[in-house]
Amino acid sequence: MYSSAASSSTPLPPSTRRDFITVTLSPGGALEAAAAAAGGGYNNSKAWRRRSCWRKWKQLSRLQRSLILFLFAFLAVCGVITYANMSEPWKSLTSRASEEQKTYMEIPGLKPANQAVLPIPQNADANLGDFSLQKPPKQLPVRRGPPNLQIRPPWRDSRLNFPDEAAKEEGEAGQAGKEQKTEKSVISWRGAVIEPDQGTEPPSNKIKEPDRPLPVESEDTKEPVPLNERQMAVIEAFRHAWKGYKEFAWGHDELKPISKSFSEWFGLGLTLIDALDTMWIMGLKEEFKEARKWVATDLNFNKNVDVNLFESAIRILGGLLSTYHLTGDSLFLEKAKDIGSRLMPAFNTPSKIPFSDVNIGRGTAHPPRWTSDSTVAEVTSIQLEFRELSRLTGEEKFQKAVDGVMKHVHTLAGKNDGLVPMFINTNSGQFTHLGVYTLGARADSYYEYLLKQWIQGGKKENELLEDYVKGVEGVKMHLLRKSQPRRLTFVGELAHGRFSAKMDHLVCFLPGALALGAHNGLPADHMALAVELAETCYQMYAQVETGLSPEIVHFNMHAQKDRKDVEIKAADRHNLLRPETVESLFYLYRFTGDKKYQDWGWEILQSFNKYTRVPTGGYTSINNVQSTSNPEPRDKMESFFLGETLKYLFLLFSDDVDLINLDKYVFNTEAHPLPIWPSA
């Protein structure tokens, strides 16, 4: 794309110079011609030529001489400027090309990012069976979300000074900071060589501001894929849940649908914020408009209230950032910066491992009352959100804080073949309660965010990739077992060398993460394991009387007559409307196109409707998944049912790969899509 031209000031060869002088100065060259005709040698001497040129130069007028000198000076300056501008790009281009030629496709048995595979859309749900849900009262829009889902580059000015109304200039935003390094790094782990993407902005603690605004990147325009019957059923379920929240819990954290009231956790409208991007993706513009008005007029973070750092980051900060990217409405970025800044006191610890709780009004932070430890999953699962906030605002403090946590954890002792303990001390910065390893509560999203940070930053942060791949290998080595009688592959727990066949429903995030990693070039056996674990997570629903999974299961590892693979203890048989299984089904369907994953998701949705739906509005968690006659409602609808579970079901039933394209977005652990950093 670069081109250059020879400078017109390049010296001419002697023969050319002589001809040039003879032609241009011939009117006064009679003496020289005569001398040449007489056979004199004077005209061949250098001294004669110099005097001749000088005499002809003096014959020019002052204006002519000035113009010629100016022309030569101008050409010289242009030459210097051209060289300065062209040399570095040429060097970079040449260096990168040579390195790519040397390292391209060095991955043994490893593919670059795979394309999502989906079948040609058909008339969905030809064999759905009886559908007991009532049709939505209104005709649903054919197109979801905005005309095009947008990836928002960072703003040039880090000071946020936006109007309350939605930004109408969706075509402009600042471009990403310039790439500081062209050097290509390669990491090898057990025979797998992973190359970073070349086209994305490298993560750095130094956030560079773009030079000038550029148009926003958008999806390629194409015909929208019509909504199918299953997607419409999800929208109807969302509207039913929203009806209860709007009527009985508007502006509060969570709906209590049985008692027609609400409960507060932080007093910040968690359900409403969690559901913002879900409404936008589903095309529920009226509901979204009402919710946006509440955010603009009633959402106030200047409150004397303690909030959990992790939950606030993934639900509130993540939800606001995602909604900003999907809508382009700067109100949400302004609110995101506000809450992000108020969470920063959590990092004021001796080790820089953050406290678990922050008072967002007073600007103070503290650990839980019973310990000085923080949960490993919580302190390592806020990075996607804070890194993106830095990229958008140009304020490096957010990314610097969370990157420091990851670098510290990377160096810690106490891991077991990549598996990490569940707790870390905020004073010493060391792991505590060593010897206990799980992919369930308190450790799960540590592994998820290793992979997703690597993807978010353009596959350049090799420490993250190394820790993720080591973690997967540790799972295979220490935690994988087979159940009886169906030989389901499951992930258990390890406590001081002793294996337990206990598996949290939370672990069902893992099939989706493994599939996402395989899609981004990690070994094929990751996808094979993802397929096996997705089957296991589905069986945690299918082998239960209500068709709903309990919070925790124990797998039967010994063949016994009339016993299922899944065993449930009385204390573990509750269901909280969790999303992890349908999340993984979404990834598996998006990457394989296998319709069985949609069918499994449809069964789960029908079970939710049969046993958790409250007639007056909303859905409730239940205490007993083994009782079809009395599942014992708990009178609570978690915010993640709208923010995650129904969103993933809607996406699972879609055949549109560009509806949150997984090569352009990465979901945080609360199902809020954030952009993979765009090209520099």
Side-chain angles (χ1 to χ4, degrees):
M1 65 187 288
Y2 299 102
S3 62
S4 61
S7 172
S8 59
S9 61
T10 303
L12 299 170
S15 60
T16 307
R17 286 203 303 268
R18 285 196 295 270
D19 293 342
F20 180 78
I21 293 171
T22 302
V23 172
T24 56
L25 303 181
S26 58
L31 178 62
E32 297 84 336
Y42 181 75
N43 61 327
N44 291 324
S45 69
K46 292 181 179 180
W48 185 90
R49 285 198 298 272
R50 284 196 297 269
R51 284 195 291 271
S52 175
C53 289
W54 176 249
R55 187 163 50 252
K56 305 312 173 189
W57 172 257
K58 295 294 289 183
Q59 290 177 355
L60 297 175
S61 68
R62 180 176 297 176
L63 177 61
Q64 289 173 319
R65 291 198 298 270
S66 299
L67 289 174
I68 292 172
L69 289 174
F70 174 78
L71 178 62
F72 276 97
F74 176 75
L75 292 175
V77 171
C78 289
V80 171
I81 295 175
T82 301
Y83 177 78
N85 288 339
M86 301 289 285
S87 60
E88 287 303 319
W90 273 110
K91 288 179 183 178
S92 172
L93 196 62
T94 303
S95 173
R96 180 180 296 178
S98 63
E99 289 193 27
E100 285 180 351
Q101 191 173 19
K102 189 165 72 173
T103 59
Y104 182 66
M105 293 305 291
E106 288 182 359
I107 309 175
L110 189 64
K111 299 178 182 178
N114 302 308
Q115 294 298 317
V117 179
L118 283 182
I120 299 173
Q122 304 171 356
N123 292 331
D125 314 315
N127 56 350
L128 295 182
D130 293 335
F131 177 50
S132 59
L133 298 181
Q134 58 185 2
K135 297 290 183 181
K138 292 185 183 178
Q139 184 178 1
L140 294 167
V142 175
R143 180 77 172 175
R144 285 113 12 247
N148 292 298
L149 296 180
Q150 306 283 343
I151 299 178
R152 302 283 160 183
W155 292 89
R156 179 176 183 181
D157 191 349
S158 64
R159 295 168 298 174
L160 297 175
N161 184 21
F162 302 122
D164 282 340
E165 293 302 315
K168 296 181 181 178
E169 302 84 10
E170 288 198 6
E172 290 189 357
Q175 72 173 23
K178 293 182 179 179
E179 193 169 322
Q180 294 182 349
K181 295 183 180 179
T182 59
E183 184 176 317
K184 191 175 184 179
S185 53
V186 178
I187 181 170
S188 176
W189 171 250
R190 302 200 178 198
V193 181
I194 310 296
E195 299 182 39
D197 281 357
Q198 288 296 326
T200 52
E201 183 181 359
S204 169
N205 288 341
K206 180 68 175 176
I207 308 296
K208 290 191 67 177
E209 296 178 353
D211 296 327
R212 63 182 182 273
L214 287 179
V216 172
E217 297 181 19
S218 64
E219 308 283 356
D220 295 332
T221 57
K222 64 169 199 168
E223 288 297 318
V225 177
L227 293 176
N228 57 54
E229 188 174 350
R230 289 181 174 180
Q231 286 180 289
M232 293 170 66
V234 178
I235 291 177
E236 193 279 334
F238 182 96
R239 280 183 163 148
H240 182 77
W242 191 252
K243 172 179 176 289
Y245 177 76
K246 181 179 177 182
E247 186 170 351
F248 307 121
W250 183 254
H252 297 285
D253 285 342
E254 292 162 334
L255 168 67
K256 300 178 70 174
I258 304 296
S259 59
K260 302 179 184 178
S261 60
F262 59 85
S263 62
E264 295 286 37
W265 190 3
F266 307 146
L268 298 174
L270 285 183
T271 294
L272 187 148
I273 296 175
D274 238 357
L276 284 168
D277 55 5
T278 305
M279 288 185 281
W280 187 265
I281 291 169
M282 290 182 177
L284 303 179
K285 300 302 176 62
E286 289 302 316
E287 291 86 344
F288 179 86
K289 184 178 179 181
E290 290 179 320
R292 185 205 179 274
K293 183 178 179 181
W294 182 88
V295 172
T297 59
D298 296 315
L299 180 58
N300 177 21
F301 296 127
N302 188 21
K303 300 178 68 172
N304 180 20
V305 60
D306 281 0
V307 303
N308 179 269
L309 171 66
F310 166 72
E311 297 291 353
S312 299
I314 66 171
R315 301 192 196 206
I316 302 175
L317 178 57
L320 292 170
L321 288 173
S322 171
T323 306
Y324 165 68
H325 278 292
L326 296 179
T327 66
D329 189 339
S330 57
L331 165 70
F332 301 108
L333 180 56
E334 182 180 14
K335 294 291 186 180
K337 184 185 177 186
D338 188 8
I339 186 61
S341 299
R342 292 176 183 273
L343 294 174
M344 288 301 290
F347 296 91
N348 296 333
T349 68
S351 65
K352 303 305 178 184
I353 298 298
F355 288 129
S356 62
D357 298 296
V358 187
N359 188 299
I360 56 175
R362 295 179 177 176
T364 58
H366 58 86
R369 291 186 299 274
W370 56 89
T371 181
S372 60
D373 292 346
S374 286
T375 297
V376 171
E378 292 189 353
V379 303
T380 58
S381 304
I382 55 179
Q383 279 68 17
L384 292 178
E385 299 81 5
F386 279 98
R387 284 155 51 110
E388 179 62 14
L389 185 59
S390 273
R391 192 184 74 89
L392 290 173
T393 65
E395 296 188 23
E396 65 179 8
K397 63 181 181 181
F398 305 112
Q399 181 174 350
K400 184 177 180 180
V402 296
D403 280 356
V405 174
M406 297 308 300
K407 292 181 185 300
H408 178 77
V409 171
H410 174 74
T411 64
L412 284 182
K415 299 176 185 176
N416 184 9
D417 293 317
L419 302 177
V420 296
M422 294 188 292
F423 298 98
I424 186 169
N425 189 270
T426 55
N427 293 318
S428 68
Q430 300 298 310
F431 288 132
T432 61
H433 301 82
L434 301 180
V436 180
Y437 304 99
T438 176
L439 261 72
R442 299 188 174 93
D444 51 350
S445 50
Y446 160 75
Y447 304 96
E448 176 188 0
Y449 266 41
L450 288 173
L451 173 68
K452 290 183 175 180
Q453 287 176 83
W454 178 67
I455 294 172
Q456 179 193 48
K459 306 178 189 176
K460 291 180 170 65
E461 296 158 287
N462 292 337
E463 289 182 352
L464 298 170
L465 175 61
E466 177 185 347
D467 288 345
Y468 173 73
V469 178
K470 282 183 178 178
V472 173
E473 293 300 315
V475 170
K476 294 178 184 178
M477 192 179 308
H478 299 291
L479 304 183
L480 279 189
R481 297 288 191 279
K482 295 282 188 179
S483 70
Q484 294 293 338
R486 298 176 62 101
R487 294 193 57 77
L488 301 175
T489 301
F490 70 94
V491 179
E493 297 182 351
L494 194 66
H496 307 291
R498 184 174 181 178
F499 180 81
S500 169
K502 168 181 174 286
M503 178 171 163
D504 294 1
H505 185 274
L506 290 168
V507 180
C508 286
F509 84 91
L510 185 58
L514 289 168
L516 180 63
H519 174 72
N520 281 277
L522 297 186
D525 64 346
H526 285 212
M527 178 61 83
L529 181 56
V531 171
E532 293 180 18
L533 290 174
E535 165 77 20
T536 301
C537 291
Y538 165 67
Q539 290 297 329
M540 289 167 61
Y541 286 76
Q543 294 190 21
V544 180
E545 288 78 356
T546 60
L548 295 174
S549 171
E551 182 73 357
I552 299 170
V553 301
H554 290 75
F555 284 92
N556 179 19
M557 296 177 61
H558 306 287
Q560 299 181 46
K561 187 178 181 180
D562 299 328
R563 293 189 65 178
K564 300 178 181 178
D565 299 78
V566 173
E567 297 182 345
I568 306 171
K569 296 184 178 181
D572 304 329
R573 61 189 185 183
H574 51 286
N575 179 288
L576 304 181
L577 313 174
R578 286 199 183 276
E580 288 79 21
T581 294
V582 294
E583 170 187 358
S584 286
L585 296 181
F586 158 65
Y587 282 108
L588 267 294
Y589 179 66
R590 181 68 67 92
F591 296 141
T592 69
D594 192 334
K595 289 283 188 180
K596 73 180 181 184
Y597 298 115
Q598 288 186 323
D599 294 337
W600 292 352
W602 180 248
E603 291 177 22
I604 292 171
L605 176 60
Q606 289 179 311
S607 294
F608 278 136
N609 277 312
K610 187 172 184 179
Y611 295 106
T612 72
R613 182 177 174 116
V614 179
T616 53
Y619 289 74
T620 179
S621 51
I622 58 176
N623 273 326
N624 189 356
V625 296
Q626 295 179 296
S627 173
T628 57
S629 59
N630 181 21
E632 302 175 23
R634 293 167 65 103
D635 194 20
K636 186 176 184 180
M637 185 177 77
E638 301 278 356
S639 76
F640 53 67
F641 182 66
L642 300 185
E644 298 186 72
T645 307
L646 293 181
K647 181 187 298 166
Y648 279 129
L649 282 167
F650 182 80
L651 294 172
L652 167 63
F653 298 145
S654 172
D655 287 318
D656 184 359
V657 297
D658 286 323
L659 182 59
I660 312 298
N661 189 314
L662 293 178
D663 292 321
K664 297 183 180 182
Y665 289 89
V666 60
F667 284 95
N668 84 338
T669 197
E670 191 74 9
H672 297 304
L674 299 173
I676 296 170
W677 291 348
S679 301

